[in-house]
Amino acid sequence: GENVEQHPSTLSVQEGDSAVIKCTYSDSASNYFPWYKQELGKRPQLIIDIRSNVGEKKDQRIAVTLNKTAKHFSLHITETQPEDSAVYFCAAKEASNTGKLIFGQGTTLQVKP
Amino acid sequence: EAGVTQFPSHSVIEKGQTVTLRCDPISGHDNLYWYRRVMGKEIKFLLHFVKESKQDESGMPNNRFLAERTGGTYSTLKVQPAELEDSGVYFCASSQDWAGVENQPQHFGDGTRLSIL
């Protein structure tokens, strides 16, 4: 089955700097990769997703890149703000007749004012 | 549009007792998922309903866990009897994959924090 590795586990940046979180996956047939942001005590919130037929997607300060050959995808947050502080999870949808998402271990991002 | 709602938000029970969690998906969403996050670890898949049918229950830990979705609307997840290792946050998510348009986003609820003493 699919396996997703996420790095780093913690990331601390200064407000205004960029943050990059990287994930690798094992099943080359996986075709959907969402990113979720979870603030303390709240629900995981989808912030961006990418399908395997595109290499990059951008939404304001957030972008995701996908390298299918290398089987990795990354989240880029530019001009970070304190409200970006949260746990970020990457996920890959298993390539089977199921909607199962396989999540990475999570990255705790701290943006210092 | 109302989001995914879960009840209760917290539950504290003793080992050996029974607990039932409820999830109401977004109206019209045929796909309903249960996930669990044990403290400090990743979110792990438990099972997937399409309407009232179990599409994939490969993530269910053991036969102490029973999920139902009678009528294809809300779902319940019962743990009986609860063990210490069942503690964690149980999330429900829903999505609507339209015919020919797969991979629609999964929208999560706030979760139920389950503590087994």
Side-chain angles (χ1 to χ4, degrees):
Chain A
E2 176 68 280
N3 183 52
V4 176
E5 297 287 332
Q6 181 173 348
H7 298 280
S9 57
T10 60
L11 180 59
S12 182
V13 300
Q14 210 63 40
E15 182 177 0
D17 287 350
S18 294
V20 180
I21 302 170
K22 298 183 179 181
C23 290
T24 59
Y25 60 100
S26 60
D27 187 350
S28 57
S30 291
N31 60 4
Y32 175 66
F33 307 91
W35 285 87
Y36 287 86
K37 173 186 179 183
Q38 187 180 20
E39 296 175 70
L40 193 64
K42 296 192 176 179
R43 67 182 67 189
Q45 194 90 24
L46 178 74
I47 54 172
I48 196 166
D49 58 10
I50 191 166
R51 291 167 176 78
S52 59
N53 57 346
V54 298
E56 185 174 0
K57 185 176 177 181
K58 200 172 181 180
D59 182 4
Q60 299 181 343
R61 297 186 296 109
I62 294 173
V64 57
T65 57
L66 171 64
N67 183 328
K68 286 168 56 180
T69 304
K71 289 186 284 187
H72 66 71
F73 55 114
S74 301
L75 179 72
H76 305 252
I77 307 173
T78 58
E79 302 170 28
T80 54
Q81 300 165 4
E83 52 266 37
D84 294 330
S85 297
V87 180
Y88 290 81
F89 291 96
C90 65
K93 179 174 169 290
E94 200 171 79
S96 61
N97 189 26
T98 173
K100 178 195 289 188
L101 292 178
I102 306 299
F103 282 85
Q105 296 83 355
T107 296
T108 301
L109 173 64
Q110 182 187 30
V111 180
K112 295 186 227 177
Chain B
E1 169 183 88
V4 176
T5 55
Q6 293 187 244
F7 182 83
S9 57
H10 293 84
S11 182
V12 181
I13 62 171
E14 293 189 347
K15 175 183 168 181
Q17 290 186 320
T18 298
V19 62
T20 300
L21 314 181
R22 173 170 169 146
C23 168
D24 287 74
I26 294 172
S27 177
H29 281 194
D30 288 340
N31 296 286
L32 186 149
Y33 312 87
W34 284 98
Y35 292 88
R36 175 173 74 173
R37 187 180 185 206
V38 173
M39 187 187 298
K41 298 200 172 181
E42 72 268 30
I43 300 169
K44 280 200 165 181
F45 170 84
L46 296 178
L47 91 161
H48 170 201
F49 282 101
V50 177
K51 296 184 180 178
E52 68 275 9
S53 300
K54 290 177 186 172
Q55 182 77 8
D56 181 354
E57 52 184 329
S58 62
M60 294 289 264
N62 51 60
N63 59 10
R64 295 185 294 103
F65 289 75
L66 175 65
E68 294 180 323
R69 194 183 181 195
T70 307
T73 54
Y74 71 91
S75 174
T76 57
L77 179 64
K78 182 162 76 172
V79 185
Q80 178 184 31
E83 298 289 344
L84 297 177
E85 64 265 25
D86 300 333
S87 295
V89 182
Y90 289 76
F91 290 105
C92 176
S94 73
S95 72
Q96 180 63 302
D97 284 351
W98 303 102
V101 184
E102 295 182 344
N103 299 328
Q104 292 304 300
Q106 293 184 23
H107 301 276
F108 279 70
D110 286 333
T112 294
R113 184 173 296 277
L114 179 61
S115 298
I116 313 299
L117 306 179

